[in-house]
Amino acid sequence: MPRVDPLIVGRVIGDVLDPFTRSVDLRVVYNNKDVNNACVLKPSQVVMQPRVHIGGDDLRNFYTLIMVDPDAPSPSNPDLREYLHWLVTDIPATTNTSFGNEVVCYENPTPTMGIHRYVLVLFRQLRRETVYAPGWRQNFNTRDFAELYNLGLPVAAVYFNCHRESGTGGRRA
């Protein structure tokens, strides 16, 4: 029986992305815990930005990493969809995000209602210094952003689920 893509099951394909073929390795690690599609992380585990390792075999390739919450402020009423949590550009292949240009600083997930999906998407850039920060975080649109900067389809993506920890508050999505 063929394996169903977890990005389809989790509605990441559809809500955030169009179907694509993964062509680059993307490893996301929070506090020594690898992020696998649909895994659950607590807000306390995602306070600090993750380590992100990017594969690829050509150092002349550069990538853009986008992190969004398509369920902001709540999954039943996502009228801030997609909330932009992080944007890093000009990441060289075979390195990590610390070698890239953080154009929108990391904002840790703090969901207040329901279970939120946090999607990390990797795009290959045509060349360096061709992707710039948007003027807002709320109602960001990954597809439109990719089209604006000629990024094409993603080369990799992963998502995790996160919900409010009991006894914690917060305003952001």
Side-chain angles (χ1 to χ4, degrees), residues 82-102:
E82 303 159 27
Y83 190 88
L84 179 63
H85 279 268
W86 199 24
L87 178 60
V88 184
T89 65
D90 300 328
I91 309 164
T94 71
T95 62
N96 59 54
T97 49
S98 64
F99 290 97
N101 179 23
E102 187 179 54

Side-chain angles (χ1 to χ4, degrees), residues 12-72:
V12 171
I13 302 291
D15 286 352
V16 179
L17 304 172
D18 292 324
F20 70 96
T21 300
R22 181 185 182 119
S23 59
V24 173
D25 288 332
L26 173 65
R27 182 174 177 226
V28 178
V29 182
Y30 278 102
N31 300 318
N32 298 319
K33 180 173 175 43
D34 280 291
V35 173
N36 297 307
N37 284 317
C39 74
V40 176
L41 296 172
K42 297 176 184 174
S44 60
Q45 294 175 295
V46 296
V47 171
M48 304 301 291
Q49 71 187 38
R51 290 190 329 270
V52 179
H53 305 277
I54 295 167
D57 52 9
D58 189 341
L59 290 173
R60 295 171 294 182
N61 287 333
F62 292 89
Y63 297 91
T64 293
L65 179 77
I66 297 170
M67 179 178 168
V68 294
D69 174 2
D71 301 314

